[in-house]
Amino acid sequence: MKKTAIVIILFIMAAVFTRGASAQGYYSAKDADQFFPDFKSDEDMSVTTAVRTPTRSAVQFGGWIMPTFLTDYRSGSKQLNSAVTNINLWLKANLWQNAYIYLRGRDTLTGVMMQDGYNSVDEIDNLIDLDLGYISSSFLDGMLRLQFGRKYFTAGAGLVLNGRGDGIQFDISSRWVKFSVYGMYSGLIQKENNLYQISSKDYSDGSKRIFTGGELAFPFENQEAYILAVGQFDMSEETAGARNKYNSQYCGVGLRGIIADAVSYYGEFVYETGTTFDIDNKKHDIRAMAASFSMDYYINVTTFPTFVVQYNYASGDVSREYYSTSWASWTGTGGGNDTGFIGFGTFSAGYGLRPLPGNLHAVRAGFSISPFSWAKQFYLKRITLLAKYSCYLKDKTEGAISQGEATLDELLVGHGVDVSLRWKILGDLSLFVNYGVFLPGDAYASSENDRHFVMEGISLSF
């Protein structure tokens, strides 16, 4: 059960990390399909009626409590009901002009309430962790910025890299060009909270990976063109009798922006190189790719409807069964280049299936409305309803997806429908409900059951 509970925790935390790292001014992949509402940044969560004094200006603090309930259900076969409560406490203190230190701790309590069809035992886990802890300083009226410590590191739209690490980042921002360079290490994060695990060594000892990279962007007319580069190096010791290291490098190009204040979009293409090993310990070169695109069309009328179309692609390999492990299943004379894409960022493509990137095309369309935007009552105005339809297709029909699913030699993986309710009841109280269903396609056996996922919770900030 422990492994199942940890997987659920990590899945939820990935969504939380997405929310925390999304303040870039443009819509991006890591903003899509957030489980949680788009709350204000932490420093704005303090009680609004508090009297502001010089002391409060120098030191700010607050937090939020988020109890959440989850149901993962497969028709007629499996069901898992869980509860997760996150308590987050943060503090921001000014050090000198244009410099501050930010600390945030998190306590995560997880319990399994009911299970059917899982080989596990009911249990309760509690995990306390330093979520963030870094110093930020800016110079020349904000044109230069230096940050170091435990923080979020993101590459482009977030598909390659989007998560916490311990390291340093330097940014230059001007009217004509934006540039960032960073380096971070994942080995100091608790292994239960470590999102960079793709080998048995990662799971047993915690992921010990170094990420270095940078991004160069050119703003123009509310648009931004950029190039990115990321290197990922596995620093773990090799397992006896097996070479399980996965070293990868990524380069990409992208375009993001806003058109006529009504359409926001992003598009990104990434090419992956590097080295990996098969189950016979033979070395293989990585030659993979991925792409993502999203466009939102906002209409400024009553109910504020917004329409969205999305496309996500990650190349596959017929010899790779799992896209969550560092090795592929080549044997003897099989093999060649590993064309299965594996990233270390955020890939959100539906609640019911929740696929990993790799051997997949995901085409999505949906909309959102605020049905009571016309109401005089403030608590009714901030209700939002969202819905999306997804169609999943294979890149290589002979291969599998995610963790060995959809193994039949067929193109159609299946269909998904997601609906969500987000309600900011008060300034410091929010409610959210998410439901997703996945209907298996031809690539699954006829005996495969429909999948349902439900998640509901509240957030109380202080």
Side-chain angles (χ1 to χ4, degrees), residues 315-317 320 322-325 340-342 356-359 400-402:
S315 61
D317 192 299
R320 178 171 282 281
Y322 300 100
Y323 290 86
S324 59
T325 61
F341 181 86
I342 294 180
L356 296 172
N359 200 33
I401 70 166
S402 291

Side-chain angles (χ1 to χ4, degrees), residues 65 77 90 93 104 122 126 160 165 175 221 233 256 260 275 281 297 306 322 324 355 389 399 407 412 415 418:
I65 301 173
S77 58
W90 62 268
R104 188 168 82 195
D122 292 349
N126 191 67
V160 172
R175 178 181 177 182
E221 301 295 335
F233 307 95
R256 55 200 174 200
T275 57
N281 299 331
Y297 176 47
T306 301
Y322 300 100
S324 59
Y389 161 76
T407 55
L412 180 62
H415 308 272
D418 300 322

Side-chain angles (χ1 to χ4, degrees), residues 347-413:
F347 185 79
S348 299
Y351 301 149
L353 180 60
R354 304 194 295 279
L356 296 172
N359 200 33
L360 192 70
H361 299 267
V363 182
R364 316 189 70 204
F367 68 93
S368 69
I369 60 171
S370 299
F372 303 108
S373 61
W374 47 266
K376 295 181 179 180
Q377 294 84 357
F378 184 70
Y379 61 89
L380 287 178
K381 295 174 70 72
R382 296 196 292 188
I383 295 177
T384 303
L385 301 176
L386 307 93
K388 280 186 182 179
Y389 161 76
S390 304
C391 179
Y392 306 103
L393 305 169
K394 286 187 188 179
D395 178 39
K396 303 284 196 307
T397 60
E398 313 97 298
I401 70 166
S402 291
Q403 301 190 62
E405 299 183 41
T407 55
L408 299 184
D409 189 2
E410 298 287 347
L411 176 65
L412 180 62
V413 174

